[in-house]
Amino acid sequence: MKIEALQPESFAVFGDVIETETALRHFTINEGNTERYHDLAHIDPGKDGRVIVSIFRGQPRALPFEISMMERHPRASQAFVPLSDRPYLVAVAPAGAAPRLEDVRVYACHGSQGVNYAAGVWHHPLMALESVSDFLVIDRDGPGDNCDVVQLEQAGLISEQDVGAALKLS
């Protein structure tokens, strides 16, 4: 599968890239001691939901890795912010009907970039690389089912060479 460097413009249809470099509002607070990168993602807890904060500890994926399923959270957004300063991958497909392999886009993310999946966007579960990695996760708790899982009709393969090349570009 082709892997792209994570860029706010190409990821916008799926949600937000969370990083200081693309902050629209940035200012100094706390008597000049802290830089605030303000409002980096649209966190949407959905109707009757509440925002929760968790830490997910991801085991590294062995490469080559096969993408054979996708999930979505139809009621709310879900943000992942890396805490371990390690690269990782995200695979996404547009909200709507169950995705086909040709709908899936894969992004290489460096350890200072987070993602916020918009409500209903199909994505693959956490894909840490290299070693165990922690992520701060901001998502929804509340009534109703908020996770749909589908198997892809055709699986896609992520190779070690493609990951290496993509990480050099990111």
Side-chain angles (χ1 to χ4, degrees):
M1 295 186 74
K2 177 185 173 197
I3 303 173
E4 304 173 53
L6 183 64
Q7 298 294 326
E9 301 79 24
S10 65
F11 194 78
V13 68
F14 307 111
D16 308 302
V17 173
I18 301 170
E19 65 181 340
T20 58
E21 287 79 8
T22 59
L24 295 178
R25 293 183 58 206
H26 165 241
F27 45 92
T28 303
I29 61 172
N30 299 335
E31 299 175 335
N33 190 57
T34 303
E35 297 294 312
R36 180 174 179 149
Y37 299 89
H38 186 73
D39 197 17
L40 298 175
H42 175 74
I43 304 300
D44 175 9
K47 186 178 186 305
D48 299 325
R50 68 181 186 88
V51 174
I52 61 172
V53 176
S54 307
I55 292 179
F56 287 15
R57 180 162 288 153
Q59 301 299 312
R61 301 288 180 157
L63 298 173
F65 178 73
E66 189 175 87
I67 291 184
S68 60
M69 60 81 69
M70 299 288 277
E71 68 179 31
R72 69 175 174 185
H73 305 286
R75 296 182 180 269
S77 64
Q78 187 179 45
F80 286 79
V81 180
L83 299 175
S84 302
D85 197 27
R86 292 189 187 94
Y88 65 103
L89 300 176
V90 298
V92 290
R100 299 175 317 239
L101 182 59
E102 56 266 22
D103 300 323
V104 177
R105 292 175 69 175
V106 182
Y107 291 91
C109 311
H110 53 79
S112 65
Q113 292 178 302
V115 296
N116 181 46
Y117 301 123
V121 165
W122 292 99
H123 59 279
H124 192 277
L126 190 57
M127 289 187 285
L129 299 171
E130 298 176 354
S131 60
V132 174
S133 298
D134 287 347
F135 292 80
L136 181 73
V137 178
I138 305 165
D139 61 351
R140 174 191 192 273
D141 189 25
D145 292 334
N146 192 34
C147 187
D148 300 327
V149 177
V150 296
Q151 295 297 313
L152 296 174
E153 290 180 16
Q154 176 186 358
L157 188 66
I158 294 177
S159 74
E160 190 168 357
Q161 295 83 0
D162 289 339
V163 170
L167 289 175
K168 288 179 185 173
L169 298 175
S170 64

